[in-house]
Amino acid sequence: MTSTQTTDLDAIVVGAGFGGIYQLHTLRDKLGLRVRGFEKGAGIGGTWYWNRYPGAMSDTESPFYRYSFDDELLQEWDWARKYIDQPDILRYLETVVDRYDLRKDFRLNTEVTSIVFDEATNTWTVGTSAGESFTARYVVTALGLLAATNIPDIPGIDSFEGRLVHTAEWPDDLSIEGKRVGVIGTGSTGTQFIVAAAKQVSHLTVFQRSAQYSVPSGNGPVEPGEVENYKSRFPEIWEQVRNSGVAFGFEESTVAATDVDEAERERVFQAAWDRGNGFYFMFGTFNDIAINPESNEAAAAFIRRKIAETVKDPETARLLTPTQPYAKRPLCNQGYYDVYNQDNVKLVSIKENPIVEITPRGVKTADGVEHELDVLVLATGFDAVDGNYRRIDIRGRGGVSVDEHWADAPTSFLGIMTAGFPNMFMILGPNGPFTNLVPSIEAQVEFITTLVTEAERRGGLIEVSQQVEDEWTETCTTIANYTLFPKTDSWIFGANIPGKKHAVMFYLGGLGAYRGLLSEIQAKDFEGFSIGQPVPA
């Protein structure tokens, strides 16, 4: 039986990216619920609405960065290059929204400021920045992993008289053509921007916080017949993606780098370098690069040699060469290291030569140099995973806030629910899968939809216990510690935010294993979830 409590809506979805769009569709069109989505932006698209900086694109290859649930759309939608640029991704998402007539149920320009559980009625009240409030039995947060911008605390940052912009808040009226531009940060976003900006600006100063391992992307036009070939094989392609580890559309290697000789390692690495893609280089070459220090060093040494071969100035090459393990989120860019051979590009290592202050005219470094700029770009990333949750007043049972519940670290069960917050589901919540995100989003949305279906059938609330959440946290920690990823300072563990406690925030066991767990849980009558019954102590 279903709840008889009167609410404004059956369900509220917060966010209009890949997750929010698909979740609104399943709850409304599959289950027949009264659903409304709220999005603070003026358009749908989530990450791909906000990130409009030059060079913005997905580094998942085009055939695999899309929904798989609509077979007809898979056949109708074409692509022209190996990777999809931001405008085309946004156009794709807008097409999906219009295809399913979802736009009428999204409220744009509507920032959610509070999500509060009422134990007397077992309902949620969602408040907005406009002072409105709405009640619902279910809430799904699709806030995005990389959405809460990280603005560095640099003395004088407010004094700069040029244009200061974070890459995730790129204004429509900003052109960098012919300008003196500085960029702080060389992660995935920063390296994409650097490659694109170097072609447009009069001068580019790169303020590098950490040297990065970047491999070629292999980006370029598709070959004749390539799109048609993929379309003819989509059923088997998606079967492989869903049952793989990183879900990037390639067969992950089953061979250890330590099981072959040096010449074979070199051959495999060179073939991967020529092919392109960061995740392929890490997971498609050998199966132990992310877990075996010796194999990891072999891959790292190969990339270091490529840097030395590519970058003409020895000092610039030295600054660009990482010394830590090859164990951050894999990066790929077409011609990243070549950029530093251009006369109009200068590299400043702010580990060796820190930024002292931002002045009205530019950036002053410890060596006394004032780098004069027209535009300063902050490619300083995000307070990833939990950042957006902490910017909303979210309160569950007993008035406990998410901030309080996650005082030690952001945690969950399966990246989907957190203890003390009944009938609130997260898409890509803490300790969800670390993969190509769209297939993971689909898996979570479909599982959440199944949970809601079951709650509607049984009546009552869906909850998880603290014990179940703690056990999942331990599982994720154990798997992470089996890898080399915790050995580096990375946003994957919150290390990019000053003062933020380093914590495991992803399930690194792969999408295939994750989907297997979801199926097993469902087969065992949703083991770990309490549906329509008091949650276990």
Side-chain angles (χ1 to χ4, degrees), residues 118-141:
D118 184 342
E119 292 185 68
T121 61
N122 286 340
T123 61
W124 288 96
T125 299
V126 174
T128 73
S129 56
E132 301 172 296
S133 66
F134 302 87
T135 56
R137 293 182 291 125
Y138 306 103
V139 170
V140 183
T141 55

Side-chain angles (χ1 to χ4, degrees), residues 344-411:
N344 69 329
V345 178
K346 178 178 177 57
L347 179 68
V348 177
S349 170
I350 57 178
K351 280 191 174 178
E352 297 186 9
N353 185 19
I355 294 174
V356 175
E357 64 175 329
I358 295 175
T359 69
R361 296 194 302 174
V363 174
K364 188 173 184 179
T365 45
D367 59 1
V369 173
E370 185 177 37
H371 305 268
E372 295 190 11
L373 305 169
D374 302 309
V375 180
L376 178 56
V377 177
L378 303 178
T380 46
F382 303 88
D383 186 358
V385 182
D386 61 320
N388 260 358
Y389 286 87
R390 298 183 188 272
R391 297 182 184 195
I392 300 174
D393 180 18
I394 304 176
R395 298 182 179 273
R397 287 196 179 279
V400 175
S401 70
V402 155
D403 257 345
E404 292 168 322
H405 182 57
W406 290 345
D408 291 332
T411 55

